[in-house]
Amino acid sequence: MSDEERRARLRWRCRRGLRELDLLLAPFAERQLPVLGPDEIDTLDRLLTSTDQDLQSWLLGRERPTDDSLTDLVEQIREQARSSG
């Protein structure tokens, strides 16, 4: 799979069908996917394998992921939402 195909697949996976998640993940994907490096793309891929309940809890600040790299990415997503909101 090419790098561009992987980014397109991740962009699609950011559409979760839950409004709260879509409002956070879709704008992040649109702005950041073009500039994320390979390690960050891997982290986003891992984040998107999480359940919607976990994602919602993390992205709304109710809980934190136990994986530090996921925590960093969640904070980036939340920060972008705060700065654009």
Side-chain angles (χ1 to χ4, degrees):
M1 176 181 313
S2 75
D3 188 51
E4 192 52 42
E5 290 171 327
R6 187 169 187 210
R7 288 174 197 271
R9 184 176 61 89
L10 288 171
R11 187 175 291 112
W12 180 255
R13 288 178 57 208
C14 282
R15 297 180 187 177
R16 304 298 285 212
L18 291 175
R19 183 170 172 79
E20 296 88 354
L21 294 179
D22 290 347
L23 290 172
L24 294 167
L25 291 170
F28 179 81
E30 288 303 314
R31 290 186 189 125
Q32 299 301 321
L33 266 174
V35 298
L36 292 179
D39 291 341
E40 295 164 314
I41 288 175
D42 289 343
T43 302
L44 179 59
D45 196 9
R46 285 188 305 117
L47 180 71
L48 294 175
T49 64
S50 303
T51 66
D52 287 344
Q53 288 112 343
D54 284 341
L55 286 172
Q56 189 171 29
S57 183
W58 298 337
L59 292 171
L60 297 179
R62 295 183 195 131
E63 294 180 21
R64 295 175 53 125
T66 56
D67 180 322
D68 288 340
S69 63
L70 293 183
T71 299
D72 292 343
L73 181 57
V74 165
E75 287 306 314
Q76 288 176 32
I77 295 167
R78 294 181 73 219
E79 179 57 36
Q80 179 178 298
R82 282 190 293 268
S83 67
S84 66

